[in-house]
Amino acid sequence: MNLVDIYTKPIINSSEKNIRNSFKENDKKEYNDPLRKWPLKGLAYSNELGAVVSGISPKLGTALWIPALMYFGADIYDKYKNDETQYSPSKRRGLKEAIFQAMASVVLPTAAVKSGQKILSLLGLATKTGLSIQNRQTVIEKSLSYMQTKSLHTFENDKNPYIDGFKNAISTMASDLQGDFKALPKSKKLLKLINPMNNFDSIAFANPQRLSEFSEKQAKNVLEMREKLMQNEKPQQLSKKLFKKFLNIQDEYKKIYPQDRYLGKAAKSILKEYHQTQIFKNKMIKTAGGFIALALLLKPIDNFVEHIVIKKTVEPGLDYFSKSLKKE
């Protein structure tokens, strides 16, 4: 062995060791939980999508809970059974994961969705009506039920009894809700106002004058649209699609109702669909608010629950509880 070999061999050996150690460190990759990675993680929020769309499709909203519940069960069981890649059952881990899922995938996202819907609904205050989207939806829903209980042909010569009756119905509803709210203790009033699950934008808090004007307009629309339809003319407010349907169903209604009633029945049926379309539009606007809130707050909610709720509250609480049991 020459001098070059003697002096370079330790250097080469040292370099080889460093390279090997480097490879070993790289081989120790951080554990990535497959249940916390997309697209599987997306199943945890299917129930929130259900909360968003429940207003426009209740059945779909309920069905979307199924994949979420399956995911919750699988994730909680996985955390209970395994410590990352090691089989090591732990009730503590299972309980911690159950709390995480309850907060990060159910409670807080649901509150976010409802808050987003409420906030977007309140933007309606800036429109000409001066009423929130929820207020307008309530009036339209009441207009639909009111119309269905009345024989509209009796108001052909005098529209005022119908209009005044509907305005009084809305006014009474608002007064009753105001009375219920005023009767609550101060603490419950505050909770009702700040709780996103409650209707803090209900007609109980609507401007009475604006509410009366909008109610009057709705009642007039019903009678004016019916008047046009009875002459086989398209009302300005009615879509071409609904007017075409009105023309098409007349032959069917002729077979069911007497000659002097079939046209009125067909008109009432189309007016019902018109109301339902208006209600659906309002619900779609609120649904958009829910989607926006959910998209913006999903990551902050995850971080908040993981680093604040779990790390600073749940884990210390579980540690304290475990120590207390050992002392006993």
Side-chain angles (χ1 to χ4, degrees):
M1 182 180 293
N2 57 37
L3 289 173
V4 174
D5 290 335
I6 293 170
Y7 286 104
T8 58
K9 189 173 182 180
I11 297 171
I12 294 170
N13 288 342
S14 176
S15 300
E16 285 176 351
K17 286 179 182 178
N18 290 336
I19 292 168
R20 286 177 193 144
N21 290 335
S22 174
F23 277 122
K24 285 179 181 178
E25 286 176 7
N26 289 336
D27 286 341
K28 294 179 182 177
K29 293 181 180 178
E30 186 179 346
Y31 174 70
N32 287 317
D33 185 355
L35 287 169
R36 292 289 180 85
K37 294 173 70 177
W38 294 88
L40 273 180
K41 186 181 177 182
L43 294 174
Y45 302 109
S46 66
N47 61 309
E48 302 313 325
L49 294 178
V52 171
V53 304
S54 60
I56 57 175
S57 180
K59 289 183 179 179
L60 177 59
T62 303
L64 284 170
W65 269 89
I66 296 172
L69 291 173
M70 292 174 68
Y71 176 88
F72 298 155
D75 190 43
I76 293 167
Y77 179 69
D78 175 68
K79 301 305 177 289
Y80 158 75
K81 187 179 67 172
N82 301 312
D83 183 8
E84 296 185 350
T85 58
Q86 302 296 318
Y87 175 77
S88 177
S90 168
K91 292 179 181 178
R92 186 181 189 276
R93 271 200 321 273
L95 178 59
K96 189 173 76 170
E97 189 62 21
I99 295 170
F100 175 84
Q101 290 296 350
M103 295 298 295
S105 301
V106 180
V107 177
L108 294 181
T110 298
V113 167
K114 296 297 181 184
S115 296
Q117 291 173 337
K118 298 291 183 184
I119 290 168
L120 201 61
S121 174
L122 290 171
L123 294 179
L125 294 168
T127 61
K128 290 181 180 179
T129 64
L131 298 175
S132 72
I133 292 168
Q134 179 60 46
N135 291 162
R136 298 204 300 266
Q137 181 181 322
T138 301
V139 173
I140 296 169
E141 287 172 343
K142 186 69 175 176
S143 174
L144 174 58
S145 61
Y146 186 79
M147 179 194 73
Q148 290 179 305
T149 62
K150 302 296 179 182
S151 299
L152 297 181
H153 69 275
T154 61
F155 303 99
E156 287 177 351
N157 297 323
D158 187 3
K159 297 181 177 64
N160 289 328
Y162 183 90
I163 296 168
D164 293 339
F166 181 64
K167 286 171 63 179
N168 288 335
I170 294 296
S171 177
T172 301
M173 182 192 291
S175 296
D176 289 345
L177 289 171
Q178 287 169 11
D180 293 342
F181 181 76
K182 287 177 182 177
L184 292 172
K186 288 184 178 179
S187 58
K188 288 189 177 181
K189 283 181 184 177
L190 180 62
L191 286 173
K192 194 173 181 67
L193 288 170
I194 64 174
N195 186 352
M197 305 300 286
N198 284 323
N199 287 327
F200 59 78
D201 58 338
S202 74
I203 62 171
F205 307 103
N207 180 293
Q209 182 62 31
R210 298 281 192 177
L211 192 61
S212 177
E213 289 171 358
F214 188 71
S215 302
E216 182 175 344
K217 182 180 179 181
Q218 285 300 307
K220 282 182 178 178
N221 275 347
V222 168
L223 298 180
E224 289 172 0
M225 289 171 72
R226 180 184 182 276
E227 191 174 5
K228 286 281 188 182
L229 289 171
M230 294 298 288
Q231 298 169 10
N232 272 327
E233 294 179 12
K234 179 186 170 302
Q236 185 178 358
Q237 305 94 320
L238 202 67
S239 67
K240 291 180 180 179
K241 183 179 178 181
L242 279 179
F243 183 63
K244 184 178 180 181
K245 185 173 182 179
F246 168 71
L247 296 176
N248 291 336
I249 65 173
Q250 289 185 34
D251 289 337
E252 181 184 338
Y253 275 61
K254 279 182 185 179
K255 300 173 185 176
I256 304 171
Y257 299 104
Q259 188 68 22
D260 59 340
R261 292 181 59 200
Y262 82 89
L263 197 58
K265 289 289 185 182
K268 196 169 189 178
S269 175
I270 293 302
L271 287 172
K272 177 183 175 181
E273 290 198 36
Y274 168 78
H275 277 79
Q276 290 171 337
T277 301
Q278 297 302 108
I279 293 167
F280 183 79
K281 286 179 180 178
N282 285 331
K283 287 182 176 180
M284 281 296 292
I285 295 171
K286 292 192 295 180
T287 296
F291 271 118
I292 293 168
L294 190 61
L296 292 175
L297 295 175
L298 272 184
K299 191 171 182 180
I301 286 172
D302 262 5
N303 290 334
F304 172 76
V305 176
E306 179 68 32
H307 300 295
I308 305 298
V309 177
I310 299 297
K311 297 289 185 186
K312 295 189 177 181
T313 305
V314 174
E315 287 184 349
L318 290 173
D319 290 338
Y320 177 80
F321 184 69
S322 296
K323 289 177 183 177
S324 298
L325 287 178
K326 287 179 182 179
K327 287 179 182 179
E328 293 177 1

